[in-house]
Amino acid sequence: MNLRLARPALCTLLIALLLCPSAQAHGGQAGDIVITHPFATPTPPGARNGAAYFVTLENTGKLPDRLLSASTPVAQSIEIHTMSVDDGGVMRMRELPDIALPPGQALKMRPGGGLHLMLVGLKQPLVAGDTFVLTLRFERGGRTEVKVVVQVPKPRTGDAAAHQH
């Protein structure tokens, strides 16, 4: 390969990568909301539902915001859920209308507890290594699309057992 001929193409590629936020980082931003590392967990073949998370949803602004809804082409719908274990050790899941994002705070979403996005009516299994688009709608920040990576979560010390959908 002639390096002299390839140099302009390489420069064009480098400029495109620098100017395209989705090529730089895994996440996104909607207004003052910074979305870090959207991911979903793999599902077994035939599973009807799955779950998606974010390492953080951070409101860097001075006003509150809310995650109102989400959608993706890989599922019929998405519900915002919270999960907890009651005094009897029974896991309870409950649908929420939205997720409050107070100013100056970061919210973490992890498998095995707390908040998650329930992917209802999966059109195909979620396979480790695959990616899909997730559209998020915030009250103040508006709409944004992020790329979700399907990955096996790293075990964390002290976590409740991961729940299944």
Side-chain angles (χ1 to χ4, degrees), residues 5 9 17 19 25 33 38 40 42 59 70 84 87 99 114 121 127 133 139-140 156 164:
L5 294 175
L17 288 172
L19 295 176
I33 306 300
N59 185 345
S84 62
D87 293 337
I99 296 174
V127 177
V133 173
E139 182 177 48
R140 299 184 64 77
R156 296 185 311 148
Q164 301 295 316

Side-chain angles (χ1 to χ4, degrees), residues 8 20 25 32 45-46 53 58 86 91 114 124 131 138 144-145 149-150:
C20 179
D32 291 328
Y53 309 87
E58 182 177 6
D86 68 16
M91 192 178 313
Q124 61 192 43
T131 62
F138 295 90
T144 192
E145 285 188 355
V149 175
V150 181

Side-chain angles (χ1 to χ4, degrees), residues 61-137:
K62 297 187 184 301
L63 298 172
D65 205 339
R66 294 183 304 147
L67 174 62
L68 301 175
S69 65
S71 62
T72 182
V74 302
Q76 292 175 356
S77 65
I78 296 181
E79 298 173 357
I80 300 169
H81 280 196
T82 185
M83 194 271 305
S84 62
V85 178
D86 68 16
D87 293 337
V90 177
M91 192 178 313
R92 306 253 181 226
M93 232 181 322
R94 174 170 72 94
E95 186 176 358
L96 300 174
D98 56 46
I99 296 174
L101 300 165
Q105 293 188 24
L107 172 74
K108 295 181 180 189
M109 297 173 74
R110 300 284 192 281
L115 296 168
H116 61 276
L117 300 180
M118 176 72 84
L119 309 174
V120 179
L122 287 173
K123 297 177 182 175
Q124 61 192 43
L126 300 178
V127 177
D130 285 354
T131 62
F132 61 89
V133 173
L134 184 67
T135 302
L136 304 170
R137 187 171 65 91

